[in-house]
Amino acid sequence: MQNRQTQTSQTQSRSREVVPETELDRFKAKVDSCEVDMRVGRPLIGLSVGSNETSSALKTTYINAILKAGGAPVLIPVTTDGAVLRDIVAGLDGLVMTGGEDVNPQWYGENPHQQLGAVDPVRDEYDLKLVKFAADRNVPILGICRGEQLINVAFGGTLYQDIPSQRDGRTLIKHVQKMPGEYASHKASVVDRSQLAAIIGAGEHGVNTFHHQAVKDVAPGFRPVAFSPDSVVEAIEAWPEYPILAVQWHPEAMVAGGDTTMLKLFRFLTDKANTFRHAKAIHGRILSVDTHTDTPFWFGRPGYSFADRERNRVNLPKMEEGKLDGVFLAAYIGQGERDDASLQKAVARVTEIIENIYREVETHGDLCAVARTADDFARIKKEGKKTVFIGIENGYGIGKDITNLAKYRAMGVLYMTLCHSYDNDICDTSTRTLKEWNGLSPFGEEVVREMNRLGMMVDLSHAGESTFWDVLKLTTVPVICSHSSARALCDHDRNLTDEQLRALAQNGGVAQVCLLDMYIHEARNKASIVHAVEHIDHMVKVAGIDHVGIGSDFDGGGGILGCQADNDLIQITVKLLEKGYSEEDLARIWGGNFLRVMTAVQAAGE
């Protein structure tokens, strides 16, 4: 104590002295260097911690590993307050779920085994909430030991509560070593062609081991990517669909011992966190819009709220999590009979849906607003709100009365999809066509001309190829395909051929990649965000960067692995950044191209 007091006294004395100019210069240079670092910044990496009655604590080896990897570690205090944890996670660029106590088996529907070790129900709840909130926002996650087990449980997997007593004598190694953590005690075989293999290499690696629980049934959406000699799972990952990787060993302890291979795990996390941070920053500067969703189908139903996160793929909280600024809500009407009475009902239903949209937006007027122009969109974002645009899906909704177009335009409708999955009085569809008109009908030609006159965008998604070509010959303004992907990558009649993409570009229009599984991959269960990004990339190469955007079709069938809802849309930006797309490119894809067409069509209208 006396030495510390003496040292403090000496320091205070020095602070009163006049420091030589050369030392001031050196000090100023250090400060300037820090200022530069602060402007560039390090990604913020959250760390889960353990706790007791008096403190939250974490071994410094975790902190030092993050620092060595170029991250800024942030310790997350143990609390079960979901609102607090959600706010903390919202500011993070990456997350490490650290080691600690056993996970309570009741979280995965089992009774405690007699060999179960110490559990902490408060920490379990804290950790499970952290994982959920981070996954909701697509924050890159690295799990370590307990962290791996907790992640597996959080996503629906199970654990061995005690490896030695639950694997029927099949344990060949002791999973709790006595030597210090910087030393490896056994080998782990890393599976080839995995993300983990890309980081540290496939094959055998020496690892430490401090656990008697382990992954049993791997959670859906994950795969095991490393095994110990007795086949105990040593690592799981959800890459490339979701940014989550977890290992059973303690790489931070090995990094403390100078292991450069294990340091790569932390550098991988900080690299992904940095890209994620970059993506979030870009979305803060651009206008992003999803040009086709079917969410209004739910509006007006008892108990529904556009602000309820757990309802639907599209809602205001998920838009915030995915950094999406605006969304087109489609007043969809299915194809019905074409007699006068049925058509009148269709018109009434479309009108009702549009009115429901306004009511829902008005209910949440502090969070969102309806836009009719690009200027409205920019203003609403500056106000801190989300933007709602209105479209109509299926021209069946105007009946045979062309004056309904003017009525809908006055109600704020900005585009209309000419048809859906069946031929109608306007045109032939791409899907269940009888080739009734071999393209546009005479009435359909009137519709296109009137939409041009009114400044309403013509949407050719769902339209047959003959309809597509008829419209391009007739229209005097650019057109859109609000939710269509590339047929060259997935041979579906709803997708656009390369010839159509080039023609659309020549027209000045835009095609919005659709995130519906059967339009993304011919094996529907394999359709993922990786394939969707390939569609974007292909369409950009064929049509050009000025003619591609994104229309998810969420709540109307859209949703693929890695991009299931609005909150996942930030991952498209991340993956496009990783492919080398610039901020300017992303600004065009996410809204610039579509808004250009919308503005041009409106300017040409009367």
Side-chain angles (χ1 to χ4, degrees):
M1 177 65 73
Q2 187 173 355
N3 288 339
R4 290 182 183 177
Q5 290 174 337
T6 302
Q7 186 178 13
T8 301
S9 176
Q10 292 173 346
T11 301
Q12 291 172 341
S13 297
R14 284 199 300 270
S15 68
R16 300 189 190 99
E17 297 172 358
V18 176
V19 183
E21 184 174 349
T22 53
E23 189 171 339
L24 277 172
D25 289 341
R26 285 195 296 271
F27 179 72
K28 184 177 183 300
K30 290 180 180 180
V31 171
D32 290 342
S33 175
C34 288
E35 287 176 351
V36 171
D37 278 345
M38 288 174 68
R39 285 196 297 270
V40 174
R42 291 175 172 231
L44 294 179
I45 309 297
L47 293 156
S48 68
V49 300
S51 68
N52 54 41
E53 293 180 357
T54 59
S55 65
S56 295
L58 184 70
K59 290 183 178 179
T60 56
T61 49
Y62 290 102
I63 297 168
N64 291 335
I66 294 298
L67 289 170
K68 286 182 180 179
V74 177
L75 273 60
I76 304 171
V78 176
T79 174
T80 58
D81 188 323
V84 170
L85 291 175
R86 190 181 290 109
D87 287 345
I88 291 172
V89 170
L92 298 179
D93 305 313
L95 174 66
V96 176
M97 300 300 297
T98 63
E101 303 90 349
D102 284 358
V103 178
N104 192 324
Q106 293 179 335
W107 289 111
Y108 49 94
E110 292 185 9
N111 292 321
H113 188 273
Q114 61 181 357
Q115 298 300 325
L116 181 69
V119 296
D120 182 344
V122 172
R123 187 177 179 189
D124 280 353
E125 183 179 350
Y126 153 82
D127 278 346
L128 287 166
K129 285 181 176 178
L130 275 182
V131 170
K132 172 178 167 44
F133 298 149
D136 286 347
R137 291 181 174 273
N138 286 276
V139 176
I141 304 174
L142 173 63
I144 294 174
C145 197
R146 167 192 162 87
E148 181 214 32
Q149 298 161 14
L150 192 287
I151 287 169
N152 191 59
V153 170
F155 287 93
T158 65
L159 304 177
Y160 289 109
Q161 296 182 44
D162 179 64
I163 299 171
S165 61
Q166 290 187 297
R167 282 178 55 83
D168 302 324
R170 291 177 290 147
T171 302
L172 303 178
I173 59 176
K174 190 171 184 180
H175 285 275
V176 182
Q177 68 186 49
K178 293 183 178 180
M179 64 184 74
E182 58 263 36
Y183 297 104
S185 62
H186 70 81
K187 300 286 187 180
S189 296
V190 176
V191 175
D192 194 13
R193 301 178 66 83
S194 64
Q195 185 62 60
L196 183 59
I199 300 167
I200 64 174
E204 292 189 337
H205 292 272
V207 298
N208 56 24
T209 183
F210 295 95
H211 64 102
H212 78 119
Q213 291 194 319
V215 169
K216 184 180 179 182
D217 300 307
V218 178
F222 287 75
R223 63 172 180 145
V225 291
F227 298 89
S228 62
D230 53 4
S231 300
V232 169
V233 174
E234 289 282 340
I236 59 174
E237 65 183 31
W239 296 87
E241 287 80 22
Y242 295 99
I244 307 173
L245 169 66
V247 299
Q248 183 62 75
W249 63 89
H250 281 267
E252 82 291 346
M254 300 180 75
V255 169
D259 192 315
T260 56
T261 297
M262 293 305 158
L263 180 60
K264 292 178 181 178
L265 283 170
F266 295 95
R267 285 183 172 156
F268 174 77
L269 177 67
T270 55
D271 178 64
K272 294 301 180 184
N274 208 37
T275 303
F276 180 63
R277 183 179 64 149
H278 187 194
K280 291 189 293 182
I282 287 173
H283 276 264
R285 294 187 288 265
I286 68 174
L287 290 172
S288 57
V289 59
D290 177 352
T291 60
H292 189 86
T293 69
D294 289 290
T295 313
F297 177 78
W298 297 89
F299 288 8
R301 296 190 180 192
Y304 175 82
S305 171
F306 196 39
D308 182 351
R309 189 198 180 278
E310 304 311 316
R311 295 285 294 270
N312 303 88
R313 299 177 189 268
V314 177
N315 55 56
L316 294 169
K318 286 180 180 176
M319 288 178 70
E320 190 279 324
E321 291 169 359
K323 303 302 178 185
L324 181 68
D325 297 316
V327 60
F328 266 83
L329 300 179
Y332 162 74
I333 184 76
Q335 186 65 40
E337 297 297 326
R338 287 154 61 178
D339 59 274
D340 289 344
S342 297
L343 290 170
Q344 287 175 8
K345 288 181 180 179
V347 173
R349 175 56 182 155
V350 169
T351 303
E352 179 187 30
I353 294 171
I354 296 170
E355 290 171 346
N356 283 343
I357 292 172
Y358 278 101
R359 276 192 288 269
E360 193 67 32
V361 170
E362 185 178 355
T363 299
H364 305 290
D366 58 330
L367 300 174
C368 62
V370 173
R372 299 184 179 217
T373 67
D375 287 343
D376 288 346
F377 191 14
R379 171 183 53 78
I380 292 167
K381 177 166 183 172
K382 286 181 180 178
E383 293 172 356
K385 299 178 182 180
K386 299 303 180 184
T387 296
V388 166
F389 298 96
I390 302 174
I392 292 175
E393 185 173 26
N394 195 358
Y396 177 67
I398 68 168
K400 294 180 182 178
D401 185 353
I402 202 165
T403 64
N404 282 320
L405 284 169
K407 181 184 90 168
Y408 290 140
R409 184 70 184 89
M411 294 179 75
V413 172
L414 303 183
Y415 74 66
M416 185 177 75
T417 316
L418 296 185
C419 61
H420 194 243
S421 297
Y422 294 87
D423 301 339
N424 61 17
D425 288 305
I426 295 174
C427 65
D428 293 343
T429 179
S430 66
T431 305
R432 297 179 179 90
T433 183
L434 299 176
K435 297 185 178 179
E436 181 176 351
W437 308 107
N438 290 315
L440 282 173
S441 71
F443 177 63
E445 292 177 0
E446 291 182 47
V447 167
V448 171
R449 292 191 186 96
E450 180 67 358
M451 291 177 72
N452 283 179
R453 186 186 73 81
L454 293 170
M456 183 187 293
M457 290 177 284
V458 176
D459 180 11
L460 292 176
S461 286
H462 285 287
E465 282 195 58
S466 55
T467 301
F468 177 94
W469 296 115
D470 280 355
V471 170
L472 258 61
K473 290 176 185 176
L474 183 63
T475 184
T476 58
V477 294
V479 300
I480 66 168
C481 294
S482 68
H483 56 304
S484 296
S485 298
R487 197 178 299 185
L489 299 188
C490 181
D491 188 14
H492 194 287
D493 57 59
R494 274 282 285 104
N495 288 341
L496 300 170
T497 66
D498 286 358
E499 183 183 9
Q500 287 176 297
L501 288 168
R502 283 188 284 267
L504 194 67
Q506 189 172 4
N507 163 264
V510 61
Q512 308 291 107
V513 171
C514 181
L515 305 179
L516 198 150
D517 53 8
M518 69 176 72
Y519 306 158
I520 292 296
H521 198 290
E522 291 173 13
R524 295 177 61 174
N525 63 338
K526 293 183 179 179
S528 77
I529 188 172
V530 174
H531 303 117
V533 169
E534 289 173 356
H535 277 259
I536 294 171
D537 197 44
H538 175 82
M539 291 163 72
V540 166
K541 289 174 181 175
V542 173
I545 191 65
D546 293 317
H547 304 284
V548 181
I550 297 166
S552 68
D553 207 10
F554 287 155
D555 292 331
I560 53 179
L561 293 172
C563 200
Q564 296 282 357
D566 278 353
N567 58 302
D568 294 327
L569 290 173
I570 187 72
Q571 277 296 96
I572 293 179
T573 303
V574 168
K575 293 193 179 300
L576 288 173
L577 283 171
E578 291 174 341
K579 290 182 76 71
Y581 281 73
S582 67
E583 179 170 340
E584 183 181 357
D585 295 335
L586 290 163
R588 292 174 178 177
I589 290 170
W590 266 121
N593 295 335
F594 190 91
L595 295 173
R596 168 184 54 78
V597 173
M598 187 175 84
T599 301
V601 171
Q602 291 177 353
E606 294 180 1

